[in-house]
Amino acid sequence: MLPVTKVTQLHQAKGEKLSFNVPLIIVNNDSLKTKHVHIRGNTSAYLRRKSLNIKLTKKASFYTRRDTFSLKKFYAISMSMDKNYIRNKISCEVLQHLNVKVPVNAYTNLLINGKTEGLYLAFYPPEEFGLEKCNASIVIRRGYDASVDGIQYEDISKKEAAALRQKFESIYRDILRKHKGEELYKQLDDVIDLESYFAWLAFNDLFQNGDYADEVYLMWSRDKGKFEIIPWDFDDILRGQPHEGITARNAILHDKLIFSS
C-alpha cells in the first residue's frame, strides 16, 4: 500500500521528478521488491497520470502476443498524449516490419492501492535494450542539433567510449560538412547503418511524426562495426503540421514535408 498522501502527491506534482518508497510491486501475480520508483519524462510530469521509472530487485515477466520478456528496469509510460493508446504500438509494429530495432513493450494495467491508473505501456529502456539485447558496446541518445543527450556503455574502456563518441560527433562535425553526393553516402555508410536510418526517416515522413530529432538512440553494433538506430516515443505521429523542422520546411521547401531538414 502507498500512503494516500503519497498518491495525492504523485497525482498533483507538476514537473517534479519525485521518488517514492514502494516496498512491493505485483507484476502478473508475481510479488517483487523495488529498488526505486520515480517520475520520468518532461511533459507527462505535469499531467495527473505520470510516467514512471521502475527498478526491481529481480526480473518481472511481461507478455505480448508474440513472446515473453523479463526486465529488472522498465518504463511505465502513461500514454497520456498517445491518442487512442495506439500510436506507439502502430509505430513499433511498422518499424519492426522494416527491420528497425525498437525496444520490446507490452500494454499493462497500472494499479495503485487496488485502483487503476489506466492503460500504460511497459517499455524496455532503449539504452538497456541496446546493450543487453542488441549486443551494442555503447548507446548514445541524440539530442537537438545533434548533441549528445546521454551515453551508456558496457565492456569497453573509457578511452574506447570516448573514441566512439567522437565517431558519432564526426557525422555532424565532419562528414556532413565536407562531403556531397556519392562520396557523402559512402562516408556515412562507413559509420551508420543507412538502410535502417532511411527506413526510419521514411516512416517519419509517411506517418508525419511531429517529434523525432531527440527521440532516437544510436548504438554501436559490434557485429556490423557501425551505428544502428533505436527509435522510440511515437505519440506525436499523424500530425497534420509536424512541429519539428517546420520553420526550415516553410522557408526552404514551401511546406513540403521532409524530415531531418
Side-chain angles (χ1 to χ4, degrees), residues 36-56:
H36 69 240
V37 176
H38 60 257
I39 295 171
R40 66 159 283 104
N42 293 319
T43 306
S44 62
Y46 288 88
L47 305 177
R48 184 183 187 277
R49 293 177 64 236
K50 304 295 192 296
S51 293
L52 303 169
N53 276 1
I54 299 174
K55 188 171 184 179
L56 307 169

Side-chain angles (χ1 to χ4, degrees), residues 61-73:
S61 294
F62 299 90
Y63 306 99
T64 71
R65 61 187 177 86
R66 284 200 185 101
D67 54 15
T68 301
F69 60 96
S70 299
L71 302 174
K72 266 190 181 181
K73 178 183 176 183

Side-chain angles (χ1 to χ4, degrees), residues 35-36 54 61 101 108 115 127 129 145 149 162 172 194:
K35 286 190 175 181
H36 69 240
I54 299 174
S61 294
K101 293 175 180 174
T108 61
K115 294 182 179 179
E127 299 96 331
F129 174 74
D145 298 319
D149 246 13
Y172 305 94
L194 290 181

Side-chain angles (χ1 to χ4, degrees), residues 175-176 178-192 194 198:
I175 296 175
L176 291 175
K178 296 178 180 178
H179 302 283
K180 293 182 179 180
E182 186 177 352
E183 183 60 28
L184 172 60
Y185 183 91
K186 289 179 179 178
Q187 292 288 330
L188 284 172
D189 194 46
D190 283 341
V191 294
I192 187 169
L194 290 181
F198 287 160

